Amino acid sequence: MKLRLLLPAVAPLLFAAACATTEPMGADPALRGSQDVPFDPGAQTSPYGLFLAGKAAMNDGRSAEASAFFDRARAASIDDSGEFGDRAFVAAILAGDIPAAGRLAPTGDDSQLVLKRLGALTKVALAIGEGRGKEAQALLATGEVGAPHRAAAALLGPWAAAAAGDKEGAVVRPEVGGDRLVDVFGQLGQALLFERAKRYDEAETDYKALIGLGDAGVLFIPDYGGFLERRGRWKEAADLYATALAKYPRDEGLQAAAARAKARKGAPALPTVRQGAARALVAPAASLVGERAHEMGLAYLQMALYLDPKRDDARVMLGDVHVAMKNTDAARAAYESIGPKSSQYATARSKLAWTYQTAKDNETALRMAREGYEAAPTSDEASINYADLLRANDRYAESAKIMDAVIARAGESPDWRLLYMRGVALERSDRWPEAERDLEQALKQQPDEPELLNYLGYSWIDRGERLGEAMDMVRRAVAANPKSGAMIDSLGWAYYRLGDYRNAVERLEEAVLLEPADPEINNHLGDAYWRVGRKIEAEFQWNRALGLEPTEAIRKDVEAKLKSGLPPLKPPAVAAN
């Protein structure tokens, strides 16, 4: 099984409470859809009818409608607390209606504690956004914003002080014992707030400490560089960016900053209080998303976007979270909201394309990916995404051409993953000598990479070349990934090519158990069955392969074998090193 690319890589707790069950939202059968609750939502007037309409809307990813239904249900009920109120709050924050979420924030004894704490954090963000800094400070001082929001509360604290005009409180660096995220991003907030207070020496000390954080320091180079530009220290800024680009030559943000510093104009503005508070929420949001606490991360992102609607990086992350939660329409809306003038446009278009590819709307997927690529033709991210979508749609020659430019930009030592991607496209374009060269060069960089070992080894096996070496490579790949049906298929096919049909059947049966819906593996098993005389089972596997959306090449191969069987055996290939 060759075409299994390792794509280049150049916390349901909250809503369990909202559902008044131990399951996360979406696991509650009542939230799975309205097919068993036929009604016209617009005609509902009773609290329970409005409640059902809200659940159906939430299940369909229509958070704004769900918020309205739940709010009406709460208002129409005798008791406006409890489940109606909790769900109204959850729907509002999912929809990004932070003013409504602040108004609906649960406070009653019968509300879930996790929601009351998030509600308190929401009120803090809302107060900062509306310039009510003293109120935000007072809310934080109550301790109502408890776990799991301590990091977010700590990072928002200085910005609440800044909104309140508390100059000393604004520059106090937040601390939460043992929380590295608060340490780092708290120092960033302190640097920005020192700069706002015109305490430039102290600000610069913080900025320098941040860029000295090893590999993580690159994240803060634009912040320090922006500080230097705002001070008119253009040469120092240019030198800073140049040093960083020597290590990260393809970083597009650094490239843009370097060009700006060279031109000596257009220094980035110092963030406003709202913008600083938004950034303070993006960091813990990213941490939550990385921990797969998607719903909580989504809530943080919506608060950040309320504070700074122009934070397109948060909007891209919002789309990613919706993809992870399988809310495709919401994900598309997030990506599509990013306009062509945004630095995030190409990224958003690329991610939007994959939502259509997953839905098997290949034409739209390719159009979206092309739009992202054409908006930033020198962007490696946009180029790689477009090339990969071309490959996924069997347009291998075009994919290889796009990768040519990416690899050329990489200089003398392109990353092995780029070579791997182009090698696959070249091999599928019947340009084997060039493909082999790319794959071998990639393997020199990563000699133990299972994906490479499997792909190159399988390619040699399929061509009847270097069979002993190829067999060893595939065995190493399987040893590294013993549960990979694709790699076990490669090993089984190696046995088949060597004429060892008994071992081929054994390994291919194992591969099919691991990857039952793969047409190529089922096709291979059919071939092996035929060779050991199990012809009825062979025909079953071939027919099964036809029902699994095979490629055109596999479909034609299978149809021919179902008509005439396999040709008589030739002498088996001889393993040779």
Side-chain angles (χ1 to χ4, degrees), residues 385-398:
N385 182 77
Y386 187 34
D388 198 42
L389 268 167
L390 288 166
R391 178 201 58 78
N393 287 283
D394 301 334
R395 292 167 61 171
Y396 301 109
E398 295 169 81

Side-chain angles (χ1 to χ4, degrees), residues 553-572:
I554 293 176
R555 185 186 63 77
K556 288 181 179 179
D557 176 53
V558 168
E559 287 176 346
K561 288 183 292 194
L562 284 169
K563 183 177 181 181
S564 306
L566 285 171
L569 281 170
K570 296 179 181 180

Side-chain angles (χ1 to χ4, degrees), residues 14-15 17-19 25 58 63 67 70 85-96 101 104 106 115 118:
L14 163 64
F15 296 98
C19 293
M25 191 178 77
M58 181 69 81
S63 300
S67 175
F70 288 139
D86 284 359
R87 293 210 186 203
F89 165 70
V90 167
I93 201 165
L94 279 177
L104 296 167
L115 292 183
L118 180 62

Side-chain angles (χ1 to χ4, degrees), residues 335-397:
Y335 296 139
E336 288 174 339
S337 69
I338 298 173
K341 294 183 180 180
S342 171
S343 63
Q344 297 291 319
Y345 178 74
T347 297
R349 229 59 187 167
S350 296
K351 290 174 178 287
L352 179 62
W354 280 107
T355 69
Y356 286 99
Q357 180 72 18
T358 302
K360 302 188 186 308
D361 185 350
N362 301 345
E363 183 178 341
T364 302
L366 284 168
R367 176 168 57 82
M368 296 295 178
R370 185 172 61 252
E371 288 174 358
Y373 168 70
E374 290 174 348
T378 61
S379 163
D380 289 348
E381 180 185 7
S383 298
I384 290 168
N385 182 77
Y386 187 34
D388 198 42
L389 268 167
L390 288 166
R391 178 201 58 78
N393 287 283
D394 301 334
R395 292 167 61 171
Y396 301 109

